[in-house]
Amino acid sequence: MPDAPMAPLILASASPRRRDLLARDGYEFTVVPADVVEISPPELTPAELTLYNARLKARAVAEAHPESLVLGVDTVVAFGGEVFGKPRDMDEALTMVTRMSGRVHEVWSGGWLARGTEESGFTEVTRVRFRALAEPELRAYLARIGPLDKAGGYAAQDDRGELIAHVEGCFDNVVGLPMKMLAKALKKFGS
């Protein structure tokens, strides 16, 4: 929970999971989704990619709201030298979770804070091990959680122990926003 009042905080994301995490920790904020096209060039590392897209989102919203502190966030899943964003369709979601079944992957989030000319970024990585599940179990899981707006095609916050066997690091990061890292970053802005 924030220690002191801060400048108006704007979340430059339409993610309901990020909204829930901020509300859970007592932050007062408004939501202004950034209207930007995210990039995914293969030469960027997952950390660079998430930080770039988070900065893109924060700057786009901060231009219209210079008096506010704007938070942009991006999250991807890294597995086997590939980066998984949000799946295009159910077939791609099934491919993603099938490939990661019984194995370990990394969840990377980049966050960017912008207010006027002040800017600061942060990244977080969490390692996640999936249980080994058969295709019918994976299909039932995907049908239940609606994977199309979730990096890697799965929902940590709705898992119920079905898919995730172990999380090493920040669980909030797997949901979509590393809250402890955010709290540290906000202190740089006197918030």
Side-chain angles (χ1 to χ4, degrees):
M1 182 171 213
D3 294 331
M6 61 182 183
L9 179 65
I10 295 176
L11 174 62
S13 171
S15 167
R17 291 157 299 280
R18 292 183 181 127
R19 285 194 313 258
D20 290 348
L21 288 167
L22 285 168
R24 178 200 73 193
D25 283 11
Y27 290 96
E28 291 184 20
F29 62 98
T30 57
V31 175
V32 179
D35 185 20
V36 298
V37 176
E38 295 180 27
I39 65 157
S40 189
E43 67 273 9
L44 295 182
T45 67
E48 292 167 336
L49 177 65
T50 58
L51 206 53
Y52 180 89
N53 284 321
R55 181 174 53 238
L56 191 67
K57 294 172 189 179
R59 285 180 174 172
V61 174
E63 281 183 21
H65 303 275
E67 73 292 347
S68 296
L69 180 57
V70 179
L71 170 63
V73 186
D74 189 47
T75 302
V76 297
V77 169
F79 175 75
E82 289 184 62
V83 172
F84 297 162
K86 298 172 187 167
R88 289 183 303 274
D89 54 33
M90 290 298 276
D91 288 338
E92 187 175 35
L94 180 61
T95 298
M96 289 177 178
V97 295
T98 298
R99 288 186 59 203
M100 295 184 289
S101 182
R103 302 178 80 190
V104 174
H105 63 274
E106 295 178 335
V107 177
W108 285 87
S109 288
W112 197 264
L113 290 163
R115 179 178 58 206
T117 59
E118 292 180 88
E119 295 184 90
S120 179
F122 59 90
T123 60
E124 178 86 35
V125 61
T126 304
R127 294 174 49 86
V128 179
R129 175 178 293 281
F130 277 179
R131 298 180 192 291
L133 298 179
E135 185 177 320
E137 295 169 302
L138 291 172
R139 284 185 184 278
Y141 174 84
L142 292 173
R144 184 179 67 73
I145 61 107
L148 300 185
D149 68 337
K150 298 163 181 72
Y154 71 98
Q157 69 282 357
D158 295 326
D159 186 68
R160 301 182 193 167
E162 297 163 273
L163 188 60
I164 297 174
H166 180 73
V167 173
E168 181 183 322
C170 176
F171 181 81
D172 288 344
N173 183 48
V174 184
V175 176
L177 182 57
M179 297 305 293
K180 287 181 183 176
M181 187 66 73
L182 173 62
K184 288 179 187 176
L186 286 170
K187 287 184 181 182
K188 292 178 184 177
F189 284 84
S191 299

